[in-house]
Amino acid sequence: MRVVDLKIEDVGFGGKGVGREQGKAVFVPYTIESEIVSAEIVREKKQFAEAELVEVKQKSPDRVESLCPYFGRCGGCAYQHISYEHQLAIKWRQVRDALQRIGKLKDVPLRPIIPSPEQYGYRNRITVHAQDGVIGFFRRDSHRLIDIERCPISLDEVNRVLSELRGQPHVRDGHYTLRASFSRKQTTRSQMRYAIWLSISFR
């Protein structure tokens, strides 16, 4: 496949940057608008093409290092290379564009996105998959698994149960949903009581 140089013009749904080669849209993961990149075309259609990032030649000031060691291989997250503030701006713009393009609604008053107080360690449920001794998530655009010891965007309680699952001597192939639940008697976090359980279902 050929390698092309692109200027990323936008970030679409799913987090892939959009550049153009001879007028054709080229989708490149892990890029940010305004960046100049080299990308290898891996799939080409009549109206668009898909590519893999080879090199970022000119970085966006909003590019950051992900805190997740699996980012870029795991298919679960797509925006962690972007500063959180800019992630919110991108998603706000995506909602606006969808309302205008798909909903045919112009000048819709949109309130600012309310940011999460936590960028990591906020998720209270994950589904991991087990196959041939590997426990984790699917790789990006694949049905192959990547072994996951800890998910940085999940609550500590969820990761504790993941560790317990991984510590079992024989884990049957299937998918396992790990949830953190709490009952709140008071509004303060210190008075929050967590109960963890493992919900298991098999294919």
Side-chain angles (χ1 to χ4, degrees):
M1 289 290 184
R2 57 198 175 89
V3 175
V4 297
D5 288 341
L6 300 167
K7 181 174 183 179
I8 303 302
E9 301 173 354
D10 198 2
V11 177
F13 281 106
K16 291 183 178 181
V18 185
R20 292 193 178 275
E21 191 215 11
Q22 298 180 355
K24 178 185 288 189
V26 182
F27 295 93
V28 189
Y30 311 122
T31 57
I32 310 171
E33 74 272 20
S34 82
E35 290 189 327
I36 306 296
V37 305
S38 290
E40 182 180 15
I41 304 293
V42 295
R43 189 176 300 108
E44 195 151 11
K45 302 290 184 180
K46 185 176 181 179
Q47 301 295 331
F48 68 93
E50 304 234 12
E52 292 293 339
L53 179 63
V54 175
E55 180 186 1
V56 179
K57 293 188 170 183
Q58 182 176 315
K59 293 183 179 181
S60 164
D62 293 301
R63 178 171 286 274
V64 298
E65 289 293 328
S66 170
L67 299 182
C68 177
Y70 308 105
F71 181 70
R73 296 176 293 151
C74 173
C77 297
Y79 292 86
Q80 287 184 4
H81 62 293
I82 306 173
S83 69
Y84 185 60
E85 293 77 12
H86 196 56
Q87 288 183 39
L88 297 181
I90 289 171
K91 293 173 183 179
W92 184 92
R93 189 170 66 240
Q94 289 172 347
V95 172
R96 181 202 63 193
D97 292 348
L99 289 171
Q100 292 178 350
R101 186 178 64 256
I102 301 172
K104 308 301 182 184
L105 300 172
K106 294 184 179 181
D107 300 322
V108 177
L110 290 177
R111 294 181 179 178
I113 295 176
I114 299 173
S116 168
E118 303 291 343
Q119 297 179 35
Y120 290 86
Y122 61 85
R123 187 158 185 161
N124 65 4
R125 182 180 68 178
I126 61 174
T127 297
V128 296
H129 307 268
Q131 185 175 3
D132 299 328
V134 177
I135 300 173
F137 299 121
F138 288 119
R139 294 178 179 270
R140 182 174 59 85
D141 298 331
S142 172
H143 291 291
R144 295 181 298 119
L145 289 179
I146 179 172
D147 198 56
I148 301 291
E149 293 185 359
R150 185 178 185 278
C151 176
I153 67 171
S154 299
L155 291 168
D156 288 341
E157 291 85 350
V158 173
N159 280 306
R160 178 171 59 80
V161 180
L162 174 59
S163 179
E164 292 173 359
L165 174 65
R166 292 175 57 85
Q168 294 181 16
H170 301 289
V171 178
R172 289 187 293 172
D173 289 359
H175 57 274
Y176 298 76
T177 298
L178 316 179
R179 294 184 176 93
S181 178
F182 60 87
S183 61
R184 191 193 299 266
K185 293 182 179 180
Q186 302 288 337
T187 57
T188 61
R189 184 174 179 83
S190 62
Q191 293 171 313
M192 192 181 299
R193 178 170 56 85
Y194 285 98
I196 308 294
W197 74 90
L198 175 64
S199 174
I200 301 175
S201 57
F202 296 98
R203 295 180 185 176

